[in-house]
Amino acid sequence: MNTASAPEPTGAESPRVRETLKALYGYVRPHRWAVVLGLLLALAGAAGGLLQPLATKALVDRLSAGGTIGTVLLALTVLVLLSTVAEAFGAYVLERTAESVVLAARRSLIGRMLRLRLAAVDRMQPGDLMSRVTSDTTLLRAVSTQAVVNAATGTVTLIAAVVVMAFLDAVLLGVTLAVVAVVGAGAALVMPRIGQAAERSQEAVGEMSTGLERAFGAFRTVKASGAEERETARVEASARRAWRHGVRGAKWEALLGTADNLAVELAFLVVLAAGGARVASGDIPVSTLIAFLLYLFYLMEPVYKLVEAASAYQEGAAAISRIEEVDRLPAEPPATREPVRTEGRPASVRFEDVSFRYGPGLPRIHQQVDFEVPGAGMTAFVGPSGAGKSTVFSLIERFYETTGGRVLIDGKDVRQWPPSELRSAIGYVEQDAPVLAGTLRENLVFSAPDATDDDIRAVLVRTGLDTLVERLPHGLDTLVGHRGSKLSGGERQRVAIARALLRRPRLLLLDEATSQLDAVNELALRDVIAETARETTVLVVAHRLSTVTDADRIVVMDAGRVRAIGTHEELVHRDELYARLAATQLLLPAGCPGG
């Protein structure tokens, strides 16, 4: 939706402004006393500046009367030094507080993002989410402290200056305010456009991050496809959009700054003419005109602070809106404690009339799925692609919520389990067996951070990774590269399996966990899985039926439904789809239909 054409109506703006200010106060509140200290120091510095024109008037009056000016000059010097020190210390306090605000916002945002429900993450682009943590939070620096203090000090000093100017000469003050009001009215129209440009620029930065994440996430594919130039053009298009909106915002900010300077300069010329006439007529002394003109130039600072605060608010409001959008996404509750390895009896699994779809209007992935898996043993899920096999695991892990029916673990609905407690009992090997950047050791203990060296050695031997570790230059402390790029596909799968086994789960989920292994390693790992199944409930998704012919039970799925359940021997005689799959893979025994 294009919102750059015109500002929203005032009635629609007000709730958004209130929400933004409420969110802003939430970020500043823990640091409110530091902000108050910075504000007081800024006001002290501003007070020093406010008194300087009066001291100058006193100096001119002393000179006119033929008196000495040493005391006045000393007082003026001390005033300048004290106000400078107060402003410098106040600026440091505010900058330090601003960094603390950004740190707190990033910590909160990162914690929230990593607890988002998978369905929410599916709707977002990873690069855009990352830009909210990096660039959007950076914009909080200005709005959280400088904008607040600038608005406060600008308002206070502006009012104080106006009061003193009224005391000096009310006629000249009226002339000044008339000029400032005319120019200020035009400047007020510019404010919303700065916010719109900032929001569009931040969105474009998010798109740029998404494009880079997309390219680096499939870097080999990009190079193998000769797509470097196309991907470069895609990211550059987002960079150009960010530039375009940034330039648009800079244009409006420049116009705003020009209006600020124009107001003061026009006021100076008008006051100089009117004040000169009043001095000539004897209505005011020349020292009053000098003091008034000094205050007029002094007005530039509070007016500039107010303009800067308004500009920072517009940019910050756009950032806060994007940050708050993440806070509104559905997230899982925080874990009450660190996940622990749960050893005990094998878990049982039951699906009762389960239906599921990924979103409204999308086709059903599961339709009245029913099956039961008692504790221990191996259960395999087979069927054509898109049958809903991997979704079974996603529902068990509670990555998604069912749209109908129940998923039970140990007879308890998974929705009644705290997610961290539920997952601490499960070992999960995903289809693409992701390996994280870092060392091999860090990847192995990722799910079991309290694993001992003996535990690690035992699982390395079981999964055949001990020979790999011996070949690596730094053993377990060897870096595996981004997404495990320094390992082969089969090695990554074995690392993922070892990581799951190291957790000693009560329920082990293997989604095509041996698809990239050679025949020798596949056979060895089949023995490991069979051994594990004697004391753990093992669920396996498999396309190669040869890997699951010895399973205790096989669940045949098709179009989101369970067609049949049985052993390999039973199903080749009883189920047409399974027999066809077995025949395709040359697994039919002699005499079977289709053999």
Side-chain angles (χ1 to χ4, degrees):
M1 185 174 72
N2 182 10
T3 58
S5 56
E8 294 180 16
T10 306
E13 279 283 334
S14 298
R16 182 176 178 182
V17 170
R18 284 195 298 270
E19 289 175 7
T20 301
L21 292 176
K22 182 180 178 181
L24 178 59
Y25 178 69
Y27 291 116
V28 174
R29 187 175 181 277
H31 313 279
R32 59 189 181 279
W33 296 119
V35 174
V36 168
L37 175 60
L39 173 60
L40 292 175
L41 290 169
L43 287 174
L50 191 64
L51 293 173
Q52 288 175 30
L54 290 179
T56 303
K57 182 180 184 302
L59 188 147
V60 173
D61 287 338
R62 285 279 185 95
L63 286 173
S64 300
T68 59
I69 60 172
T71 304
V72 178
L73 279 175
L74 179 62
L76 190 58
T77 302
V78 171
L79 195 62
V80 169
L81 290 174
L82 288 176
S83 63
T84 301
V85 170
E87 284 187 356
F89 187 58
Y92 166 73
V93 170
L94 291 176
E95 286 297 321
R96 189 178 189 280
T97 304
E99 291 294 344
S100 299
V101 169
V102 171
L103 173 62
R106 284 175 175 166
R107 290 180 63 188
S108 173
L109 201 54
I110 291 167
R112 177 78 180 182
M113 283 183 178
L114 292 179
R115 289 189 292 105
L116 289 177
R117 294 197 178 277
L118 225 58
V121 176
D122 289 344
R123 296 195 299 269
M124 306 290 290
Q125 295 287 354
D128 185 52
L129 285 173
M130 287 187 284
S131 76
R132 296 174 197 238
V133 176
T134 53
S135 58
D136 286 343
T137 52
T138 301
L139 290 178
L140 284 176
R141 292 184 74 260
V143 72
S144 61
T145 53
Q146 290 294 349
V148 172
V149 172
N150 281 347
T153 56
T155 301
V156 171
T157 52
L158 181 63
I159 293 172
V162 168
V163 169
V164 176
M165 291 168 76
F167 173 76
L168 289 173
D169 191 80
V171 174
L172 293 182
L173 175 63
V175 172
T176 302
L177 294 180
V179 175
V180 172
V182 171
V183 180
L189 299 175
V190 175
M191 295 293 186
R193 299 187 180 277
I194 294 175
Q196 292 166 3
E199 188 165 1
R200 300 296 172 272
S201 179
Q202 289 303 107
E203 289 174 357
V205 169
E207 292 172 8
M208 186 171 61
S209 298
T210 296
L212 286 171
E213 192 275 337
R214 158 194 159 106
F216 283 113
F219 203 49
R220 286 177 173 81
T221 302
V222 169
K223 287 190 170 297
S225 304
E228 293 96 334
E229 293 301 321
R230 296 196 300 274
E231 290 302 304
T232 298
R234 177 191 290 270
V235 177
E236 282 182 352
S238 299
R240 281 194 298 271
R241 279 194 294 275
W243 173 84
R244 188 165 58 249
H245 293 299
V247 168
R248 187 174 298 166
K251 176 185 70 177
W252 294 119
E253 286 185 11
L255 184 60
L256 201 59
T258 302
D260 176 24
N261 293 330
L262 180 63
V264 175
E265 290 172 6
L266 286 177
F268 172 77
L269 293 175
V270 174
V271 168
L272 187 62
R278 289 178 64 73
V279 169
S281 64
D283 293 330
I284 56 173
V286 69
S287 63
T288 298
L289 177 59
I290 292 172
F292 197 95
L293 289 172
L294 288 175
Y295 271 114
L296 188 59
F297 281 110
Y298 176 81
L299 278 181
M300 288 184 66
E301 184 176 358
V303 170
Y304 175 74
K305 284 184 175 180
L306 289 173
V307 170
E308 193 178 52
S311 177
Y313 169 79
Q314 292 294 336
E315 293 180 348
I320 288 172
S321 174
R322 284 168 53 80
I323 292 171
E324 290 295 297
E325 185 181 346
V326 175
D327 281 339
R328 289 191 293 270
L329 294 174
E332 296 173 347
T336 54
R337 54 186 171 82
E338 284 293 317
V340 296
R341 293 185 293 174
T342 55
E343 299 179 40
R345 60 183 178 82
S348 65
V349 180
R350 180 183 177 90
F351 271 49
E352 291 183 349
D353 199 29
V354 170
S355 298
F356 173 73
R357 67 177 71 197
Y358 283 103
L362 296 176
R364 287 184 183 273
I365 305 299
H366 282 177
Q367 303 181 56
Q368 289 79 50
V369 171
D370 272 293
F371 65 83
E372 183 171 5
V373 177
M378 183 196 301
T379 300
F381 294 83
V382 302
S385 297
K389 304 183 296 296
S390 296
T391 304
V392 169
F393 290 0
S394 293
L395 296 179
I396 290 173
E397 286 272 14
R398 207 183 160 195
F399 294 150
Y400 301 96
E401 303 287 356
T402 62
T403 51
R406 297 192 304 166
V407 177
L408 307 175
I409 303 294
D410 290 338
K412 182 178 177 180
D413 194 320
V414 292
R415 288 170 291 198
Q416 296 174 356
W417 288 74
S420 58
E421 185 180 343
L422 171 69
R423 292 165 190 161
S424 69
I426 301 173
Y428 181 35
V429 179
E430 300 174 57
Q431 197 166 25
D432 56 354
V435 172
L436 288 75
T439 66
L440 180 57
R441 183 190 301 275
E442 288 170 341
N443 273 278
L444 290 171
V445 301
F446 194 72
S447 298
D450 57 339
T452 66
D453 287 343
D454 289 339
D455 295 331
I456 296 173
R457 276 193 295 271
V459 83
L460 288 174
V461 173
R462 289 181 71 188
T463 54
L465 284 171
D466 51 334
T467 54
L468 168 66
V469 174
E470 290 171 1
R471 294 198 312 269
L472 294 175
H474 302 292
L476 286 172
D477 296 316
T478 302
L479 295 173
V480 296
H482 177 61
R483 297 190 178 184
S485 59
K486 296 181 180 179
L487 303 176
S488 68
E491 287 168 346
R492 287 196 296 271
Q493 283 196 321
R494 280 186 284 162
V495 169
I497 293 171
R499 181 169 57 207
L501 292 176
L502 195 58
R503 201 172 197 181
R504 297 179 186 167
R506 297 172 51 224
L507 173 62
L508 180 61
L509 309 179
L510 303 174
D511 192 352
E512 289 291 331
T514 61
S515 59
Q516 297 187 54
L517 297 179
D518 58 73
V520 174
N521 280 307
E522 181 183 345
L523 184 60
L525 275 176
R526 281 176 60 185
D527 292 338
V528 171
I529 293 169
E531 177 189 342
T532 304
R534 286 198 287 269
E535 55 190 28
T536 302
T537 305
V538 178
L539 307 187
V540 180
V541 168
H543 282 106
R544 294 212 302 262
L545 299 189
S546 60
T547 62
V548 295
T549 53
D550 294 332
D552 297 284
R553 69 194 58 79
I554 298 174
V555 180
V556 185
M557 298 189 69
D558 186 24
R561 296 180 182 274
V562 174
R563 286 178 56 103
I565 300 176
T567 63
H568 172 72
E569 289 76 12
E570 292 169 346
L571 290 172
V572 292
H573 292 92
R574 229 176 52 205
D575 185 75
E576 181 183 349
L577 173 60
Y578 187 84
R580 192 162 61 247
L581 292 173
T584 303
Q585 299 180 34
L586 305 177
L587 292 176
L588 278 183
C592 279

